[in-house]
Amino acid sequence: MPTFREKLSAAAKKNESLVCVGLDPDPALMPIEDVAEFNAAIVEATADLVCCYKPNIAFYEALGISGLEALRRTLECIPQDIPVICDAKRGDIGSTAKAYATALFEWWGFDAATVNPYLGRDSVEPFLEYADRGILVLCHTSGPGSVDFQDLTVERDGVQRPLFEEVALRTRSWNERGNAGLVLGATFPQQMETARQLCPDMVILAPGIGAQGGDLESTVRSGVDAQGGGLIVNSSRGVIYASRGRDDFADAARRAADELRRAINAARE
Amino acid sequence: MPTFREKLSAAAKKNESLVCVGLDPDPALMPIEDVAEFNAAIVEATADLVCCYKPNIAFYEALGISGLEALRRTLECIPQDIPVICDAKRGDIGSTAKAYATALFEWWGFDAATVNPYLGRDSVEPFLEYADRGILVLCHTSGPGSVDFQDLTVERDGVQRPLFEEVALRTRSWNERGNAGLVLGATFPQQMETARQLCPDMVILAPGIGAQGGDLESTVRSGVDAQGGGLIVNSSRGVIYASRGRDDFADAARRAADELRRAINAARE
């Protein structure tokens, strides 16, 4: 079985794409009612244009158990060679983190998951133990509240740096199996650049393009690794709700994903 | 409808108890197989001895959708006047945090939930908007990794303090509806004392007694408010797995919960 990293690289190469489509169903925005059907149409329209998919599990949980059933059906229609990141931002003490890792990696079978570092190493380690999965640690997030704590200057061993840099450095030190990565919001390109310098080889997941206002060019320039890859640019609303028409939403999603793919590739050159 | 705070105070008064029983089903430890049946027996044996229950949703998610069905059946057998805290430690950007709040407070109908502050105000605000629910913000957690970031000295406006204190202060400033509280692990009584001084009126949820080694007396002394309340002392494994015998686990849970209740009440005096 290939690792998340291998699967991601292969899909990125095959589809010439760093695009991740965020599968975030919102009943107020969806042109059709059935979540699994909506997602299946989006996946069918975009599977040759992406390097991965990223359902944010919050949107399924908001629909209750039937929402989670729809997520299960969605996973069944994603081609085997496209990795799926569960955006779950879990974080709990060791014994409980183990239960979350079991849920996401064993019961659901996701290739990767986002995790929250606030509870420290024992909250991240049970995820990292799955050497073939990707563990994307929240470093500097895309929302306005990210500055409340993540940008505060912290001191350790006499050195001062912003908290998100400390998170990047700790994640690097925990990354014994090479399966850790970072989440850096596209709305903060300076922080992304700094984190990329601290962690030159890690995968970076960059949400915040589109609806949230992140700048694509600076995200790509500051986020890619030395080989021009190692970056996942997520768009959710900008792709899946590109049109809210029942008859053309899938085509519009395809066009939006392809436009994003081309714009990223232009910025990589 | 009473608020979480009112419901909690009424149950604490009626049962003369600050005990919260953590309903964390672990197939490796449970004396019987059926999760809902196990929880129902624990609830029946302890409902007159607690001020609230706290399922950690990770343990249900680890069992997949059938685990969540068992959680639903569990909630049905908890008496209406005992509040239920969902230990979910959610945290995401505003629009997604709204989806999590919808899931926990509307779909599930929990009285309170734990949330992770790392993403800042917009990740907590959608929960706080539910004025009748309790929002318990992770401040200083009980696991060993809590020191990795939560104890780092941060600087804001020229003042230096540990990050967990900054979280306590921000939570206080966000608490416009009086429904915010803090999570402070019983394994760090000094940090609990400091947080209680900064936030004299907030509810404090204290996990970490028992299996995790937190000291009860110092937790109670440092955690209660000026009226000797405002504290929720959680025990999960120490109560629900007090015996692993099929025939006596419920009785043993009752004894363990009552012992804890009495020990807390002795320390309050």
Side-chain angles (χ1 to χ4, degrees), chain B residues 44 46 55 84 97 113 115 148 150 154 159 161 183 200 208 223 244:
Chain B
E44 200 190 343
T46 58
V84 182
V115 301
D148 288 343
Q150 299 163 21
V154 302
V159 182
R161 53 172 75 87
V183 178
R244 294 180 50 195

Side-chain angles (χ1 to χ4, degrees), chain A residues 3 40 54 57 68 72 77 84 104 121 124 128 146 148 152 194 217 231 263:
Chain A
T3 65
K54 181 178 77 60
I57 203 162
L68 295 169
R72 191 148 73 161
C77 73
V84 182
L104 297 176
R121 181 169 187 156
V124 178
L128 292 172
S146 61
D148 288 342
L152 292 179
T194 306
E217 256 195 69
L231 177 70

Side-chain angles (χ1 to χ4, degrees), chain A:
Chain A
M1 283 285 289
T3 65
F4 167 67
R5 189 70 188 255
E6 290 163 351
K7 217 169 148 177
L8 179 71
S9 297
K13 194 173 169 189
K14 182 179 164 203
N15 293 340
E16 292 176 71
S17 177
L18 301 184
V19 172
C20 173
V21 170
L23 300 172
D24 299 351
D26 181 338
L29 300 174
M30 280 164 54
I32 60 174
E33 262 183 49
D34 188 278
V35 169
E37 200 186 316
F38 174 70
N39 283 345
I42 298 284
V43 169
E44 200 191 341
T46 58
D48 62 332
L49 300 173
V50 302
C51 63
C52 60
Y53 287 103
K54 181 178 77 60
N56 189 314
I57 203 162
F59 293 95
Y60 302 87
E61 293 182 9
L63 304 172
I65 287 175
S66 69
L68 295 169
E69 295 281 12
L71 176 55
R72 191 148 73 161
R73 290 199 298 281
T74 299
L75 298 184
E76 283 165 9
C77 73
I78 295 177
Q80 285 294 319
D81 58 346
I82 309 281
V84 182
I85 302 167
C86 183
D87 201 351
K89 299 185 173 68
R90 299 303 197 240
D92 209 312
I93 60 166
S95 53
T96 312
K98 206 172 143 72
Y100 276 130
T102 301
L104 297 176
F105 292 154
E106 299 194 25
W107 196 86
W108 285 102
F110 289 111
D111 299 287
T114 58
V115 302
N116 186 312
Y118 186 68
L119 284 79
R121 181 169 187 156
D122 66 292
S123 69
V124 178
E125 188 60 32
F127 291 91
L128 292 172
E129 283 170 5
Y130 289 81
D132 60 338
R133 310 301 167 99
I135 291 74
L136 305 168
V137 178
L138 302 183
C139 183
H140 197 291
T141 50
S142 58
S146 61
V147 304
D148 288 342
F149 304 114
Q150 299 163 20
D151 280 334
L152 292 179
T153 300
V154 303
E155 188 171 317
R156 185 166 61 98
D157 302 337
V159 182
Q160 293 198 326
R161 53 172 73 88
L163 178 59
F164 79 91
E165 291 187 27
E166 186 65 27
V167 168
L169 288 170
R170 294 285 180 113
T171 303
R172 194 175 75 181
S173 76
W174 300 337
N175 189 23
E176 291 160 6
R177 298 171 194 83
N179 58 343
L182 297 172
V183 178
L184 288 144
T187 39
F188 294 89
Q190 183 62 58
Q191 283 84 340
M192 179 159 331
E193 191 175 336
T194 306
R196 173 50 85 198
Q197 284 162 359
L198 294 174
C199 303
D201 301 319
M202 277 188 202
V203 168
I204 288 178
L205 168 64
I209 286 292
Q212 293 182 59
D215 180 64
L216 185 64
E217 256 195 69
S218 58
T219 296
V220 174
R221 276 200 304 266
S222 55
V224 289
D225 61 21
Q227 289 74 46
L231 177 70
I232 300 167
V233 180
N234 183 74
S235 178
S236 302
R237 288 168 272 182
V239 171
I240 66 176
Y241 306 124
S243 160
R244 294 179 50 195
R246 294 180 64 87
D247 298 326
D248 71 341
F249 75 90
D251 289 343
R254 179 172 179 80
R255 276 194 304 276
D258 198 36
E259 255 174 53
L260 178 58
R261 185 180 75 97
R262 289 168 192 274
I264 292 168
N265 290 345
R268 283 160 93 182
E269 274 159 20

